């Protein structure tokens, strides 16, 4: 017998969580199925809305992401759901994350310094990064660790200076307190800072770290560290280090594993639990069956070899794009992996990509083609299923990496897909 709910969401990333919360707020019971750990763990923790509506224009990032929506192609997800959906999606996000994030006070993008020494436009950013905004003109010291090799602080400082940031910035590399290998896991270092245990000579980890950073301070009024200042108690660690250094400490977004991404995932899943959303994680959807009308009757997950059916009145597909493995491709073309939905693509595979790593690649916009209700359409333009809705990276039409729009697309489409699925039942 199938496990029943009103709406089943397939996918546990930002789009899936948003869809589940959106549907639950309509008063229906939602079950979320995630095959693996959320991709949020690999993400920076920044929530981008739209930084570059036309990445090839060479005009730099837009100040207001909403002003660029009308200039996007007709099949872009923002054009399909409308700019209001982006506003509502961000509002839903703000209500969930509360004091963990900043940026909700304005429509304007903020510029956040990254570990590569770039200024990235983003709509929402963790509170732990707020003191590091590029618009702040206070002299800055960036600090990297010998035990965390993915951040070269002096190089990042050089690049920021070359980009013309409005503040003096220098970089220094110090040894992390304690006995750690050169490739120590970021989570180990973060937990050491959070526990603040004895790191030798009777001094705590944070005390020894502050002692090693202090000779490099100069006139710096703020100090940026890679985003590893603890896990659940990052604000406690930041405040302690700020007091010891007499300079405001902030985090710089890093690559995977991303502690800001993990913190965001924890907050979202707490919100899902509070909203009454039931969840199944670690088990992929491997099959589905349709009813007499051709709509989806139930999906089937694989749980240690057992096939477990989950039934609902409506379904949301939020499994991600090519990076998230919601889409796959071979010589026959791209395909959506759960329901086999049509994914438009040029027949000539040579047209899938362009010259240059950061060029306008067709494959970057691959995804299902949705109608205004976000139902995936087949090759003839008809809905694949009357009760299936798509959200996030699996929706085509956006080059989110170049546009800096991935999170916004997930929020806007997740909000609409979840709400529409709830209305369906």
């Amino acid at each position: 017998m199938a496990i029943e709910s009103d709406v089943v969401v397939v996918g546990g990333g930002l789009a899936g969580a948003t869809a589940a919360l959106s549907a639950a707020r309509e008063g229906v019971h939602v079950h979320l199925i995630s095959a693996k750990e959320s991709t949020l763990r690999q993400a920076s923790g920044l929530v981008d809305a739209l930084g570059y509506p036309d990445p090839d224009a060479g005009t730099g990032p837009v100040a207001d992401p909403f002003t660029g929506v009308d200039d996007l192609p007709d099949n872009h997800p923002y054009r399909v759901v409308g700019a209001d959906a982006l506003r509502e999606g961000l509002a839903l996000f703000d209500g969930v994350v509360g004091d963990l994030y900043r940026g909700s006070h304005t429509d304007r993008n903020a510029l956040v310094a990254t570990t590569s020494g770039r200024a990235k436009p983003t709509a929402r950013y963790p509170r732990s990064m707020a003191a590091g905004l590029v618009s702040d003109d206070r002299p800055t010291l960036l600090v990297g660790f010998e035990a965390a090799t993915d951040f070269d602080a002096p190089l990042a400082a050089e690049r920021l200076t070359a980009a013309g940031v409005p503040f003096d910035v220098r970089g220094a590399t110090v040894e992390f307190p304690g006995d750690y290998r050169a490739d120590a896991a970021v989570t180990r270092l973060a937990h050491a800072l959070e526990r603040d245990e004895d790191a030798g000579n009777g001094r705590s980890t944070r005390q020894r770290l502050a002692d090693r950073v202090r000779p490099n301070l100069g006139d710096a009024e703020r100090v940026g560290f890679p985003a590893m200042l603890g896990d659940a108690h990052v604000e406690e660690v930041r405040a302690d280090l700020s007091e010891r250094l007499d300079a405001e400490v902030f985090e710089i977004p890093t690559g995977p594993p991303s502690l800001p991404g993990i913190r965001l995932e924890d907050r979202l899943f707490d919100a899902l639990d509070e909203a009454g959303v039931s969840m199944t994680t670690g088990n992929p959807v491997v099959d589905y069956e349709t009813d007499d009308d051709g709509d989806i009757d139930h999906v089937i997950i694989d749980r240690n070899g057992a096939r477990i059916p989950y039934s609902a009145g409506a379904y949301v597909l939020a499994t991600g794009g090519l990076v998230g493995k919601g889409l796959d491709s071979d010589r026959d073309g791209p395909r959506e992996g759960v329901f086999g939905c049509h994914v438009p693509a040029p027949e000539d595979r040579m047209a899938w990509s362009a010259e240059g790593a950061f060029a306008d690649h067709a494959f970057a916009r691959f995804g299902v083609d949705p109608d205004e209700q976000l139902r995936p359409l087949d090759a003839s333009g008809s809905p694949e299923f009357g009760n299936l809705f798509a959200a996030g990276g699996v929706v085509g039409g956006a080059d989110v990496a170049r546009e800096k729009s991935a999170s916004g697309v997930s929020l806007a489409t997740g909000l609409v897909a979840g709400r529409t699925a709830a209305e369906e039942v």
Side-chain angles (χ1 to χ4, degrees):
M1 180 177 293
I3 299 172
E4 296 185 357
S5 56
D6 295 317
V7 174
V8 163
V9 176
V10 183
L14 182 58
T18 302
L21 289 169
S22 178
R25 291 183 178 190
E26 298 298 317
V28 301
H29 177 248
V30 183
H31 190 88
L32 184 146
I33 300 173
S34 179
K36 57 186 183 303
E37 287 185 338
S38 168
T39 52
L40 287 168
R41 291 173 171 263
Q42 316 304 320
S44 66
L46 298 175
V47 176
D48 307 332
L50 183 64
Y52 300 90
D54 185 357
D56 295 317
T59 55
V62 292
D64 184 342
F66 298 100
T67 61
V69 170
D70 289 342
D71 297 327
L72 296 169
D74 289 343
N75 68 333
H76 192 285
Y78 285 163
R79 295 293 301 277
V80 175
V81 299
D84 285 346
L86 175 58
R87 290 184 185 277
E88 291 184 58
L90 286 167
L92 184 152
F93 176 86
D94 295 334
V96 167
V97 300
D99 199 43
L100 185 65
Y101 271 72
R102 294 289 186 267
S104 62
H105 65 291
T106 179
D107 280 348
R108 297 178 66 85
N109 278 323
L111 292 177
V112 176
T114 69
T115 52
S116 63
R118 304 287 189 262
K120 181 180 180 181
T122 192
R124 301 290 188 270
Y125 45 92
R127 174 184 174 188
S128 64
M129 300 179 190
L133 296 186
V134 173
S135 57
D136 191 328
D137 62 1
R138 288 178 293 173
T140 303
L141 173 69
L142 303 182
V143 177
F145 299 117
E146 294 176 1
T149 57
D150 60 345
F151 178 42
D152 187 328
L155 178 59
E158 288 178 14
R159 288 177 172 172
L160 285 168
T161 299
V165 295
F167 53 88
D168 293 329
V169 55
R170 294 175 293 105
T173 302
V174 302
E175 184 179 356
F176 192 87
D179 185 19
Y180 296 94
R181 301 186 323 184
D183 60 348
V186 169
T187 49
R188 282 195 66 198
L189 305 184
H191 292 154
L193 285 170
E194 190 159 272
R195 291 192 300 267
D196 200 27
E197 297 172 348
D198 188 337
N201 299 325
R203 292 181 298 169
S204 73
T205 302
R206 295 179 209 163
Q207 183 179 1
R208 293 195 68 185
L209 175 58
D211 290 344
R212 292 176 180 181
V213 171
R214 197 173 293 110
N216 299 285
L217 268 176
D219 63 351
E221 298 178 25
R222 53 182 181 163
V223 180
F225 291 93
M228 45 176 284
L229 301 182
D231 185 5
H233 303 286
V234 59
E235 291 306 315
E236 175 189 316
V237 177
R238 274 203 325 118
D240 188 18
L241 288 174
S242 295
E243 182 177 357
R244 292 178 186 276
L245 293 171
D246 193 25
E248 192 166 10
V249 166
F250 64 92
E251 288 190 311
I252 302 167
T254 56
S258 167
L259 282 162
I262 293 171
R263 296 170 198 149
L264 176 55
E265 180 193 46
D266 290 343
R267 182 65 64 89
L268 287 171
F269 274 71
D270 285 346
L272 289 168
D273 188 56
E274 292 169 6
V277 175
S278 56
M279 289 175 272
T280 299
T281 59
N283 305 108
V285 174
V286 295
D287 205 352
Y288 69 95
E289 292 188 9
T290 58
D291 59 22
D292 292 339
D293 295 325
D295 291 338
I296 300 168
D297 181 74
H298 61 266
V299 296
I300 299 170
I301 70 167
D302 178 10
R303 181 179 294 164
N304 299 323
R307 291 168 62 88
I308 312 296
Y310 283 78
S311 176
Y315 299 79
V316 176
L317 175 67
T319 48
L322 289 168
V323 174
K325 304 300 183 183
L327 301 178
D328 199 357
S329 66
D330 55 25
R331 292 186 178 276
D332 295 326
R335 61 182 180 278
E336 183 274 308
V338 176
F339 300 104
C341 294
H342 173 63
V343 178
E347 292 186 9
D348 181 4
R349 286 175 56 88
M350 296 298 293
W352 287 16
S353 59
E355 292 186 9
F358 303 104
D360 182 13
H361 301 295
F363 69 77
R365 296 186 297 276
F366 283 177
V368 300
D369 180 25
D371 64 11
E372 292 181 355
Q373 293 181 290
L374 291 180
R375 293 179 299 182
L377 302 176
D378 62 22
S380 69
S382 299
E384 297 268 11
F385 307 95
N387 61 342
L388 177 65
F389 307 88
V394 76
V395 178
D399 187 346
V400 296
R402 299 177 78 223
E403 297 168 359
K404 301 296 182 282
S405 64
S407 296
V409 167
S410 290
L411 290 171
T413 57
L415 175 104
V416 173
R419 185 164 57 199
T420 309
E423 292 170 354
E424 177 72 15
V425 299

